[in-house]
Amino acid sequence: MSLWLAGIGVSRGIAIGRVHRVHGADLDIPEYAIEPEELDAEVERFEAALAEARSQLEQIRSQIPASAPAEISAFIDTHLLMMQDTALSDTVANLIREHRCNAEWALKLQQDHLTDVFDQMDDAYLKTRRDDVEHVTARIQRVLLKQERRIDARADRSRHPPVIVADDLTPADIIILHQQGVAAFVTEHGGPLSHSAILARSLRIPAIVGVHDARRMLVDDETLVVDGEAGHILADPAEDALSFYRHRQKRDQRYRRMLGKLKTEPAISADGRKVRLLANVELPDDSKDAAEVGAEGIGLYRTEFLYMNREEMPGEEEQLAAYRRVLRSVDGPVTIRTLDIGADKTLGHGRDHSASSNPALGLRAIRLCLKETDMFRVQLRALLRASAEGDVRIMLPMISNIQELRQTRHLINELMTELRSQGLAFNPALPVGAMIEVPAAALAAPLLARHADFFSLGTNDLIQYTLAMDRVDDEINYLYDPLHPAVLRLIKFTIDAGADAGIPVSMCGEMASDRRYTRLLLGLGLTEFSMHPANILEVKRLVMQSDVSALQRHVEAVLGATDALEYRELLDALDEPAAA
């Protein structure tokens, strides 16, 4: 008899496969005594497992897809840094000797201690860091216990691809299982804004989270249909239901082929409005993916990869070489964001500024760069020199006041004088823009526009700061609402401020890449979108089908609605012509 279950669809697509339940988080940790003469060997066994776990994570990080957001790499980097922390390595070794116990039990004792410490913290942001402790220790435990998450090699994956059913999965788990040919993911916990959900979307793997008791109700090897858009799963489906979903799969494949034909078409709306579609990239070679889908340039080039996981700071020549590579591989402007370290992204070479009571609100991004000016000067020099060889734009993250723009401008002017005296070329009219990701910046947009050459809306942070919630906290992710009236008004206010000042406004957050919001953003006046390369063609199709003038009139009615029901009905009406 068929079984229908519902959860939260976090990655679109239809998958049909066989259930493969994973119980990796429910590890049975043994406890046994170690003889005194064997303690050194037991410590060495733990250190070897720690080294192996680090090696696994480093390999996983190198295999993160180009379309994945920077948060995924930062997630892995955070775990790597935790594995290097003496609070884990040295303390566990000491516990082995002190209690004369096996490495697994000593690691569990330290995990329990660390999670208790986080649980007792008043700060909600830091409380969520206990999950990182559990993920890291679970990976080391699996190495010690020789219980890696792997698919049965005997399974016929071509005819019966596995659908992973688990309590929860980390991004590292997803990358490993993706390499093993899984068809989809179903988890009992998690949310649409978790790192794992973001990665599943980047990999285009259908995924559903929040399916409570899924492992208890599903049976290994039974046929399972996963509808990642609706958030539904169907176990042991009848033949007519199976035929329906197979038809859906073929329709989706035809849709993807149709989108491929739009690569060379201009992004012009039905009423003749030109829209620029740019790509977000993280590594120099990622720009090839952008070129393959017809991106008109790079709207967000993240530079954190140059600084992560290394002992020495990247030098000017190394950075210049990276910027040159991306300039040579893409036509159009390349918007390079200066170092955005802080919150869940940390440096690995002795400069850890994450000790703030709430790193998301502390010393990060432009604040850190203006404090560590020696580091910032190196990056700005490399960017200035790169501007002599292509259409470079500098984008400053986390701007919250005019002084930060003025300080950066002053520093750039100093460096221009320095480069000129050294006979090194640069573009003296190099555009410098501000990311609008905090409400203060959006509300001060008319003032900031006097000192910025362009704006870029970072909606991921703008939404979480406006709504006072951590977007990757599963406990409150239901509060993350891109359609909240306050969020839309801040976006509209920023776009209008840019138009009044005659400077371009783009959007590089997740809203720009989500087809559900394309028509809304066009109606708000956005004419420049930057997104994962994988989403460009789908957004282009919606742009080409849209009457922007009509959308703008409709959105005016949305923003003017004073009744909550009317507000939502007007928003829903925007989606109707966008159905695929």
Side-chain angles (χ1 to χ4, degrees):
M1 182 176 177
S2 298
L3 173 67
W4 182 89
L5 298 173
I8 304 170
V10 297
S11 182
R12 291 187 287 125
I14 302 293
I16 302 173
R18 300 284 188 179
V19 172
H20 184 96
R21 292 180 298 172
V22 171
H23 298 275
D26 308 328
L27 295 168
D28 185 13
I29 308 299
E31 178 187 10
Y32 53 87
I34 301 295
E35 295 298 324
E37 63 273 14
E38 296 175 347
L39 289 174
D40 287 343
E42 189 66 7
V43 170
E44 289 177 5
R45 187 170 77 91
F46 167 70
E47 291 173 345
L50 182 60
E52 171 60 22
R54 280 200 303 262
S55 177
Q56 289 177 2
L57 281 182
E58 287 167 352
Q59 183 178 8
I60 288 166
R61 192 189 192 286
S62 70
Q63 295 163 349
I64 294 173
S67 59
E71 287 91 338
I72 304 303
S73 297
F75 179 91
I76 303 295
D77 287 324
T78 297
H79 287 193
L80 283 166
L81 287 170
M82 290 179 71
M83 288 183 181
Q84 296 167 10
D85 196 319
T86 56
L88 187 67
S89 56
D90 291 358
T91 304
V92 172
N94 292 336
L95 287 171
I96 291 172
R97 292 192 167 94
E98 179 184 344
H99 293 272
R100 295 184 181 180
C101 64
N102 57 303
E104 294 90 343
W105 191 251
L107 180 57
K108 182 182 184 303
L109 291 175
Q110 181 61 359
Q111 175 192 331
D112 291 345
H113 169 70
L114 291 174
T115 53
D116 285 345
V117 170
F118 281 112
D119 283 341
Q120 292 168 20
M121 292 180 176
D122 293 329
D123 186 85
Y125 180 88
L126 290 178
K127 274 188 176 181
T128 63
R129 297 306 95 191
R130 74 186 303 278
D131 295 339
D132 292 318
V133 173
E134 291 177 349
H135 290 155
V136 166
T137 53
R139 174 163 296 280
I140 302 168
Q141 292 283 21
R142 288 201 292 268
V143 175
L144 287 166
L145 296 167
K146 296 181 170 56
Q147 293 182 14
E148 293 302 295
R149 284 182 162 170
R150 301 199 67 81
I151 304 300
D152 187 349
R154 296 170 296 177
D156 183 352
R157 297 176 203 162
S158 60
R159 293 184 56 196
H160 307 294
V163 174
I164 299 300
V165 180
D167 59 330
D168 202 358
L169 294 168
T170 69
D173 295 327
I174 287 179
I175 292 171
I176 291 172
L177 294 169
H178 174 60
Q179 292 170 341
Q180 298 174 37
V182 301
F185 299 107
V186 175
T187 64
E188 298 184 7
H189 304 291
L193 301 164
S194 67
H195 292 104
S196 299
I198 293 170
L199 181 58
R201 288 194 288 273
S202 296
L203 293 170
R204 292 194 176 279
I205 303 173
I208 300 176
V209 303
V211 186
H212 301 301
D213 296 322
R215 289 176 299 164
R216 181 178 61 82
M217 292 187 283
L218 298 175
V219 179
D220 280 332
D221 293 325
E222 70 177 327
T223 301
L224 192 69
V225 175
V226 177
D227 184 340
E229 184 159 20
H232 300 158
I233 62 175
L234 185 63
D236 192 20
E239 189 56 41
D240 58 342
L242 204 54
S243 176
F244 170 79
Y245 281 106
R246 284 173 178 153
H247 174 73
R248 286 272 308 274
Q249 280 185 316
K250 290 179 181 177
R251 188 187 70 178
D252 289 349
Q253 290 168 0
R254 290 195 299 271
Y255 177 65
R256 291 292 163 196
R257 288 195 295 270
M258 179 273 293
L259 288 179
K261 298 177 182 178
L262 300 180
K263 173 185 173 181
T264 58
E265 295 292 323
I268 299 177
S269 70
D271 59 336
R273 306 290 186 93
K274 176 72 177 73
V275 175
R276 175 178 273 185
L277 300 181
L278 308 167
N280 296 345
V281 301
E282 181 174 0
L283 300 171
D285 293 338
D286 297 348
S287 52
K288 296 176 184 176
D289 295 328
E292 287 176 2
V293 293
E296 300 175 65
I298 304 299
L300 169 61
Y301 177 62
R302 302 179 176 97
T303 58
E304 290 75 45
F305 78 97
L306 288 163
Y307 296 79
M308 295 286 197
N309 249 8
R310 54 188 296 166
E311 293 302 320
E312 300 296 328
M313 300 290 282
E316 181 179 326
E317 296 300 328
E318 179 185 351
Q319 294 192 52
L320 178 59
Y323 304 149
R324 281 171 170 164
R325 283 203 303 277
V326 72
L327 280 168
R328 291 167 183 162
S329 60
V330 67
D331 293 326
V334 175
T335 304
I336 301 177
R337 184 178 69 187
T338 57
L339 182 62
D340 187 7
I341 290 290
D344 57 355
K345 291 169 275 187
T346 55
L347 293 171
H349 26 69
R351 296 173 183 241
D352 186 359
H353 297 277
S354 61
S356 168
S357 60
N358 189 334
L361 300 177
L363 189 61
R364 58 168 295 198
I366 192 63
R367 301 169 183 175
L368 175 62
C369 288
L370 290 174
K371 183 176 186 293
E372 300 277 356
T373 52
D374 288 345
M375 175 183 70
F376 198 24
R377 289 173 68 93
V378 173
Q379 181 171 42
L380 290 176
R381 274 183 60 99
L383 288 168
L384 281 165
R385 291 175 62 189
S387 72
E389 304 183 33
D391 188 359
V392 171
R393 303 194 299 181
I394 294 178
M395 184 159 68
L396 307 175
M398 202 68 185
I399 290 291
S400 59
N401 59 64
I402 293 173
Q403 185 59 26
E404 290 162 341
L405 272 172
R406 284 176 170 166
Q407 283 182 259
T408 304
R409 289 277 195 187
H410 180 73
L411 192 54
I412 289 173
N413 289 336
E414 280 187 3
L415 294 173
M416 284 183 175
T417 301
E418 191 175 285
L419 291 173
R420 194 176 288 112
S421 68
Q422 295 171 351
L424 295 173
F426 60 89
N427 175 15
L430 171 65
V432 178
M435 286 195 75
I436 306 298
E437 5 180 25
V438 298
L443 293 171
L447 298 175
L448 291 173
R450 300 176 187 176
H451 303 271
D453 297 312
F454 63 92
F455 286 152
S456 183
L457 283 152
T459 53
N460 299 0
D461 275 334
L462 182 62
I463 294 168
Q464 75 168 347
Y465 290 135
T466 301
L467 304 182
M469 53 81 64
D470 181 357
R471 59 194 169 93
V472 296
D473 184 347
D474 293 347
E475 295 291 328
I476 56 172
N477 58 39
Y478 66 92
L479 293 172
Y480 188 91
D481 182 12
L483 301 178
H484 191 288
V487 172
L488 297 190
R489 281 170 169 76
L490 289 174
I491 292 172
K492 176 64 172 171
F493 193 72
T494 302
I495 292 171
D496 288 348
D500 291 343
I503 65 172
V505 179
S506 66
M507 179 180 289
C508 59
E510 287 241 331
M511 275 189 81
S513 65
D514 193 325
R515 68 173 186 174
R516 294 174 299 174
Y517 308 128
T518 300
R519 292 167 56 80
L520 170 64
L521 294 173
L522 289 170
L524 287 169
L526 190 69
T527 58
E528 190 169 297
F529 296 65
S530 188
M531 66 198 74
H532 304 150
N535 299 108
I536 284 178
L537 295 178
E538 192 164 34
V539 170
K540 181 185 285 190
R541 172 178 172 269
L542 288 171
V543 168
M544 295 171 69
Q545 293 177 339
S546 297
D547 182 328
V548 175
S549 297
L551 288 174
Q552 288 177 335
R553 291 191 296 271
H554 189 101
V555 170
E556 282 181 14
V558 171
L559 296 177
T562 56
D563 177 78
L565 180 60
E566 179 191 9
Y567 180 80
R568 286 291 167 174
E569 287 177 345
L570 287 168
L571 284 173
D572 289 343
L574 279 169
D575 288 336
E576 291 172 4

